[in-house]
């Protein structure tokens, strides 16, 4: 049976990091408008906390995507299940993810959104697992670089469960 056996990142550590990332974003977009795009469903918790710490003119939108070509294919495409409500041409766009593993979701999404000619397109992820990377992507804002452990919580699921845990937990076998 799988169970959450350990806390990897506590609620307090998460809150401190969210504030730190928000401050960096605020500084980089001073005097600008910003469209924050959360990627459903994993990023929902993080993005909700993050926007409340960004003191700028912020709009928020969401996308839901599913990645193809995870196995051996190096260049997949991304299927957009829920697209943005707004046209991003000429806008500053910040994509917010909970975690980057292979990087395929984001690299495909970035390629798709670049064709819409935003003013700028930046990436923010709470967690980064570089050991699992298959697609090379530059991430502008990274919360924590973590080891390749089986984790859940703060939006991240295991079989759609545990998203509501207020911390990042490690799943182990009991
Ligand atoms: C997870 C996670 C990222 C993506 C990262 O989402 O939230 O969006 O996978 O993986 P990658 O870097 O290997 O592409 P998932 O597809 O499980 O959907 P969810 O957010 O609804 O859980
Ligand atoms: Mn996701
Ligand atoms: Mg998932």
């Amino acid at each position: 049976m799988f169970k959450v056996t350990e806390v990897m990142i506590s609620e307090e550590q998460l809150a401190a990091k969210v504030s730190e990332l928000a401050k960096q974003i605020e500084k980089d977009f001073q005097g600008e408008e910003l469209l924050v795009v959360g990627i459903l469903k994993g990023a929902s918790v993080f993005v909700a906390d993050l926007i409340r710490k960004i003191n700028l003119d912020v709009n928020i939108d969401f996308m839901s995507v599913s990645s193809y070509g995870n196995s051996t294919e190096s260049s997949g495409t991304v299927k957009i299940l829920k697209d943005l409500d707004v046209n991003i041409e000429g806008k500053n766009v910040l994509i917010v993810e909970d975690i980057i593993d292979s990087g395929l979701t984001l690299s495909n999404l970035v390629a798709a959104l670049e064709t819409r000619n935003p003013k700028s397109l930046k990436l923010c992820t709470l967690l980064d697992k570089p050991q699992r990377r298959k697609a090379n992507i530059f991430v502008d804002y990274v919360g924590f670089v973590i080891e390749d452990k089986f984790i859940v919580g703060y939006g991240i699921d295991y079989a759609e469960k545990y998203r509501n845990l207020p911390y990042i937990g490690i799943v182990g076998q009991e």
Side-chain angles (χ1 to χ4, degrees):
M1 210 26 210
F2 289 114
K3 217 184 148 219
V4 178
T5 52
E6 212 183 307
V7 176
M8 179 188 256
I9 308 170
S10 71
E11 253 185 283
E12 293 73 22
Q13 289 172 305
L14 287 169
K17 187 62 79 176
V18 166
S19 294
E20 192 187 314
L21 290 170
K23 231 167 240 117
Q24 286 178 43
I25 292 164
E26 221 176 272
K27 195 166 141 254
D28 292 351
F29 291 94
Q30 210 46 248
E32 304 263 335
E33 286 181 13
L34 180 62
L35 176 67
V36 177
V37 175
I39 308 303
L40 299 170
K41 303 176 204 163
S44 57
V45 176
F46 174 44
V47 80
D49 282 348
L50 185 69
I51 54 169
R52 283 179 287 176
K53 295 287 177 188
I54 301 176
N55 189 20
L56 289 175
D57 268 339
V58 161
N59 281 17
I60 182 162
D61 205 344
F62 293 92
M63 288 185 87
S64 178
V65 298
S66 82
S67 270
Y68 293 147
N70 39 358
S71 56
T72 53
E73 286 176 44
S74 53
S75 65
T77 53
V78 73
K79 186 180 179 195
I80 297 176
L81 304 174
K82 187 242 170 266
D83 207 336
L84 296 169
D85 292 336
V86 293
N87 181 356
I88 59 169
E89 187 168 352
K91 292 193 177 148
N92 294 310
V93 178
L94 178 68
I95 301 175
V96 176
E97 264 288 24
D98 49 332
I99 185 163
I100 303 178
D101 282 336
S102 70
L104 290 171
T105 304
L106 266 195
S107 64
N108 293 322
L109 185 60
V110 165
L113 293 184
E114 285 288 8
T115 66
R116 302 182 190 182
N117 300 316
K119 181 178 179 187
S120 67
L121 185 57
K122 290 198 171 180
L123 308 180
C124 174
T125 188
L126 178 67
L127 307 176
D128 183 6
K129 267 187 186 175
Q131 285 164 13
R132 308 233 315 170
R133 202 57 45 85
K134 286 186 199 161
N136 225 346
I137 46 167
F138 177 77
V139 187
D140 302 271
Y141 308 97
V142 178
F144 300 91
V145 176
I146 59 166
E147 283 182 56
D148 188 12
K149 295 238 167 88
F150 183 1
I151 54 154
V152 291
Y154 201 67
I156 299 169
D157 71 305
Y158 166 56
E160 295 298 327
K161 282 170 64 183
Y162 302 114
R163 293 194 200 271
N164 58 323
L165 283 183
Y167 56 88
I168 302 285
I170 299 177
V171 178
Q173 282 216 357
E174 272 261 300

